[in-house]
Amino acid sequence: MTTYPETQAELEQFEAEFADQLQLSTEAQDLLFREARTANTFTDEPVSEEQMRAIYELVKWAPTSMNNQPLRIVLVRSDEARARLVDLMAEGNKPKTQAAPLVAILAADNEFHEELPRVFPHFPAAKDMFGGNEAMRLRTAELNATLQIAYFILGVRAAGLAAGPMTGFDADAVTREFFPDGEHRALAVVNIGKPGPDAWFPRSPRLDFDEVVTTV
Amino acid sequence: MTTYPETQAELEQFEAEFADQLQLSTEAQDLLFREARTANTFTDEPVSEEQMRAIYELVKWAPTSMNNQPLRIVLVRSDEARARLVDLMAEGNKPKTQAAPLVAILAADNEFHEELPRVFPHFPAAKDMFGGNEAMRLRTAELNATLQIAYFILGVRAAGLAAGPMTGFDADAVTREFFPDGEHRALAVVNIGKPGPDAWFPRSPRLDFDEVVTTV
């Protein structure tokens, strides 16, 4: 991946002002944050099962509340499943979801609390606490699965691949179609592969530190 | 930071099976995912404004829907503000929130659409689309701010610091107390600093790939 002229000045400013404040290497910063982009086109190089396992085995260590890990992932590999998913994407997302080497549906498991006795053994009451409060359980599932979606996106980039995360799809219909047990909620669809020609738009501006951060 | 005996076997298995699938260096993998832990104690080494700027200038590049960037951050630096926040934390989170070198309140800006003409200029109708649909706007704000919370946590780790993210607090009260404009929602509080003595519990188990990922 290359550096974009429109961000070159910001990158150079970062080097001059902030780089020595970070322990993460410049190469890793570029790979995960600065040079990586949301891809809209892909080459036809396939994404292997081994790559997806490597990504998961890395990002599974990132934190969730009470280690609850509610993210569930459906890898759409068959033509039949791909066609069902593409039908439910927003119009502008259909062509790239059809063309991507691999597409993942990322969902929250609303019954994550069933695993808590195993994944968070030092608080045995946790399972019943969530079991008895559905509103809290669904909110916790969605918040933590969303954190894990972000970890997953960065994990895809860590594998040298581009991610194309999308929320433009019929979430109720995707949930019904791909999670018929009624215990999940689809939150994002992510195209995965090597970026193709004209894979991205010019980089859009980010908010300044002083617009986002206040001190009290 | 050191490697933990209880995960040593998994780390070695990862090296043997998956490491060559990732482009990210082993050092960066360890810094961000494998050796980093949620800290419950901290040294008294301060966290500087420059460190926080470096973290923001890195993670601001990570993706959000339509580049909407709804995350807002309040850095709690005064004793007076710290006391107000600690009062609203869950009992078990009070001592560490009192003791951490720096505490950040992470919130969603429900009025993020006001910035869309500037940050997503290629779709001028976006501002009004969100302005006319409050339910969609709040949902979009929360989902994308939550993605950004995950990026922020990894950014703290990229700076060689430990993060202690928490959702155990009175979110309504923290929102009223620290965002009195009624346009935000507090989603997480994150303690930040160098890990202190006995900073973490033994590492809890992660779900297996085959429990989380299915293929269709």
Side-chain angles (χ1 to χ4, degrees), chain B residues 94-176:
Chain B
K94 285 181 197 281
K96 55 190 174 188
T97 306
Q98 181 61 53
L102 181 61
V103 184
I105 305 172
L106 305 191
D109 179 356
N110 292 330
E111 304 296 314
F112 69 88
H113 62 301
E114 298 289 344
E115 313 303 330
L116 286 177
R118 180 161 58 106
V119 297
F120 200 66
H122 23 285
F123 181 30
K127 178 182 166 182
D128 290 342
M129 186 179 85
F130 285 104
N133 188 335
E134 189 183 28
M136 179 176 72
R137 193 168 78 243
L138 269 55
R139 189 175 163 79
T140 300
E142 188 158 319
L143 185 138
N144 285 279
T146 303
L147 294 176
Q148 291 185 286
I149 291 170
Y151 305 141
F152 179 84
I153 291 169
L154 296 182
V156 168
R157 292 172 167 194
L161 298 168
M166 298 171 288
T167 52
F169 58 91
D170 184 336
D172 291 337
V174 169
T175 297
R176 279 195 305 270

Side-chain angles (χ1 to χ4, degrees), chain A residues 193-207:
Chain A
K194 295 271 189 192
D198 299 319
W200 30 67
F201 304 112
R203 192 140 211 175
S204 298
R206 286 346 192 228
L207 298 175

Side-chain angles (χ1 to χ4, degrees), chain A residues 110-113 128-142 182-183:
Chain A
N110 292 330
E111 304 295 314
F112 70 87
H113 62 301
D128 290 342
M129 186 179 85
F130 285 103
N133 187 336
E134 190 183 28
M136 179 177 72
R137 192 166 81 244
L138 269 55
R139 189 175 163 79
T140 300
E142 189 157 318
E183 297 179 352

Side-chain angles (χ1 to χ4, degrees), chain A residues 126-203:
Chain A
K127 178 181 166 182
D128 290 342
M129 186 179 85
F130 285 103
N133 187 336
E134 190 183 28
M136 179 177 72
R137 192 166 81 244
L138 269 55
R139 189 175 163 79
T140 300
E142 189 157 318
L143 184 138
N144 284 280
T146 303
L147 294 175
Q148 291 185 285
I149 290 170
Y151 304 143
F152 179 84
I153 292 168
L154 296 182
V156 168
R157 293 171 166 194
L161 298 167
M166 299 170 288
T167 52
F169 58 91
D170 184 336
D172 290 338
V174 169
T175 297
R176 279 194 306 271
E177 189 70 28
F178 290 91
F179 304 92
D181 65 6
E183 297 179 352
H184 298 77
R185 175 147 189 90
L187 297 173
V189 175
V190 182
N191 294 324
I192 303 168
K194 295 271 189 192
D198 299 319
W200 30 67
F201 304 112
R203 192 140 211 175

